Amino acid sequence: TPRAYLERCISTIKAREPTVQAFASMDLDAARAAADSSSQRWRDGDPLSLLDGCPVGIKDIIHTRELPTEMGSELYKDWQAPEDALGVAALRAAGALILGKTATVEFAVGRAPSTTNPWDSSRTAGGSSSGSCAAVGAGMLPLTLGTQNVGSILRPCSFCAAVGYKPSLGVLSTMGLHPLSHTMDHLGP
């Protein structure tokens, strides 16, 4: 069930997060409640999509209405976006479980978070989607959202033994992302 799978992810997070440090924030209670609703939809034969019940992490420069969007910066500590980014809203509409926000380089260009490589904690997880790629590489989550201008999804995914994808410019909406360059910003899994 989605709840059983979520609990497996949470167990892995509890075991690996102290070393990997992939998350900026989490709301396990909300994820569990959403997983229970998803489990019921699957039992009723009426899932919202194939992603219904899938635990997901969201890079901390992408707006979420229920979790703070701190952008890896003390300047935005506890800042709350008024609404979800369009990519997050689409995931929620598909029944995905927003488990938490993943660590990022400050504003996706600055100071690196304390996230470590899930295979060797003495090495970097890369950047700027560090936490997103490390969470998938560590088996904490099956899917996360990251952003890329130059190599911010592909590089950390390659460092962390995860699969990352940078779609063509404009394929996925960047509404609700902290902007860096309107001609280069990409949202990707």
Side-chain angles (χ1 to χ4, degrees), residues 15-41:
R16 308 268 339 254
E17 179 62 8
T19 302
V20 176
Q21 300 178 47
F23 289 92
S25 64
M26 287 184 273
D27 189 342
L28 301 182
D29 291 337
R32 284 179 168 125
D36 290 342
S37 295
S38 176
S39 295
Q40 186 60 52
R41 287 190 297 273

Side-chain angles (χ1 to χ4, degrees), residues 8-163:
R8 194 168 87 186
C9 290
I10 291 170
S11 177
T12 303
I13 290 167
K14 286 181 179 179
R16 308 268 339 254
E17 179 62 8
T19 302
V20 176
Q21 300 178 47
F23 289 92
S25 64
M26 287 184 273
D27 189 342
L28 301 182
D29 291 337
R32 284 179 168 125
D36 290 342
S37 295
S38 176
S39 295
Q40 186 60 52
R41 287 190 297 273
W42 281 101
R43 277 192 295 277
D44 294 344
D46 194 26
L48 298 174
S49 76
L50 293 176
L51 284 178
D52 198 344
C54 180
V56 178
I58 308 296
K59 183 177 178 178
D60 195 27
I61 67 162
I62 303 169
H63 294 178
T64 52
R65 62 181 157 74
E66 294 174 352
L67 291 163
T69 301
E70 298 177 335
M71 297 176 257
S73 174
E74 289 295 318
L75 296 172
Y76 279 84
K77 182 137 182 67
D78 298 324
W79 183 77
Q80 200 70 44
E83 59 189 9
D84 287 332
L86 288 182
V88 174
L91 285 169
R92 283 191 204 276
L97 315 176
I98 309 303
L99 185 137
K101 299 297 281 284
T102 55
T104 181
V105 171
E106 187 175 31
F107 300 114
V109 294
R111 181 176 42 90
S114 56
T115 305
T116 65
N117 187 294
W119 302 100
D120 181 348
S121 62
S122 71
R123 297 183 183 273
T124 182
S128 70
S129 298
S130 319
S132 292
C133 298
V136 172
M140 297 177 184
L141 292 173
L143 177 67
T144 58
L145 284 184
T147 63
Q148 178 162 311
N149 278 135
V150 180
S152 298
I153 293 173
L154 302 179
R155 181 182 47 252
C157 280
S158 69
F159 287 10
C160 296
V163 174

